[in-house]
Amino acid sequence: MKRLLVSLLAAALLPAFAQTTGTAKVDPKNNKVSNPVVEKPKAKLMTRDELRACMDQADFNNSEALAIKADQTTYNDTATALKAEKVELQKGEDAGVAGTAALKKEREGILQMFEEIKAAAPKLEKAELEERNKAYQARAAAFDTSVASLNEGIKANLEKRKAFADKVDAFNASFKALEARQEAHFDKTDTWKTDCSKKSYDEADEKAIRKERAAAAPK
């Protein structure tokens, strides 16, 4: 962000102070002015329409500042949530890698078990061979179940990773939108300062405008 977020208040409009003019004393003998006082130029007041526009812009700037602050809070909360989600996704990927390694080792063990049964088969009693074959088949079935479960987990994590990537894209886009909104707000704030903040106005006009607003407000 190029500038800090600021909030303008309608009260920033400067009140007009009554301008007074000096009076010159006249010497009755020579009819000349003594202790002359130079009149100060009267401050130019904003018209009621100009004051109304400045007040409306100040109100808009205030509302926009609050809205941007709310967007910043949402942005920060989303960033925190995405960081936590990324950690969980990494855990899932790590579990997939570890599970794949474990199943690879188990597959090697099953193949070795098969070769051992095959080599010992001629020397084994029928009952013992059947028992060892039964253990082998059970181990192989459990392996197949573990593979299916692992693949489902990896697939689910990939889908989560894709959804996460979409969230990140949206998050990055929201940053650009928030930055553009802030810059527009700063520009309007600067314009208000130039056009309104140092100009005087008639307090009667301000009261009249506030009375207009009160009358127009929803009952």
Side-chain angles (χ1 to χ4, degrees), residues 179-197:
E179 185 177 44
R181 188 176 187 182
Q182 280 197 142
E183 287 302 313
H185 172 67
F186 292 139
D187 289 341
K188 289 182 179 180
T189 297
D190 290 341
T191 298
W192 183 89
K193 288 179 179 179
T194 299
D195 294 345
C196 305
S197 67

Side-chain angles (χ1 to χ4, degrees), residues 85-218:
E85 187 172 348
K86 183 178 180 181
V87 170
E88 291 304 311
L89 284 172
Q90 189 60 51
K91 288 181 180 179
E93 291 180 358
D94 291 344
V97 171
T100 299
L103 285 178
K104 182 179 179 181
K105 185 176 182 180
E106 174 64 4
R107 180 176 180 277
E108 292 172 353
I110 291 172
L111 291 175
Q112 182 178 353
M113 182 180 183
F114 174 78
E115 293 297 331
E116 289 174 354
I117 294 174
K118 183 179 177 181
K123 302 177 183 179
L124 296 176
E125 295 291 335
K126 182 179 179 181
E128 184 179 357
L129 179 60
E130 289 180 351
E131 187 67 25
R132 293 183 66 172
N133 275 330
K134 184 178 180 181
Y136 166 78
Q137 293 295 337
R139 187 175 179 183
F143 174 81
D144 289 342
T145 299
S146 296
V147 169
S149 178
L150 178 65
N151 287 337
E152 287 177 3
I154 291 175
K155 181 180 178 181
N157 207 63
L158 287 173
E159 291 174 352
K160 289 179 181 178
R161 173 64 70 177
K162 183 179 182 302
F164 176 77
D166 292 339
K167 290 179 184 179
V168 170
D169 289 342
F171 175 71
N172 290 335
S174 74
F175 172 80
K176 293 180 180 178
L178 177 58
E179 185 177 44
R181 188 176 187 182
Q182 280 197 142
E183 287 302 313
H185 172 67
F186 292 139
D187 289 341
K188 289 182 179 180
T189 297
D190 290 341
T191 298
W192 183 89
K193 288 179 179 179
T194 299
D195 294 345
C196 305
S197 67
K198 295 182 180 180
K199 293 183 180 179
S200 300
Y201 62 89
D202 191 326
E203 290 184 3
D205 286 338
E206 180 188 15
K207 291 179 181 178
I209 293 169
R210 294 196 183 282
K211 187 175 181 180
E212 289 174 6
R213 289 180 170 183

Side-chain angles (χ1 to χ4, degrees), residues 1-8 61 64-65 68-69 72 178-179 181-187 189-190 193:
M1 302 304 172
K2 297 178 181 178
R3 292 178 277 190
L4 295 176
L5 187 63
V6 294
S7 175
L8 298 177
N61 288 348
E64 186 69 355
I68 290 173
K69 185 176 181 180
Q72 287 177 323
L178 177 58
E179 185 177 44
R181 188 176 187 182
Q182 280 197 142
E183 287 302 313
H185 172 67
F186 292 139
D187 289 341
T189 297
D190 290 341
K193 288 179 179 179

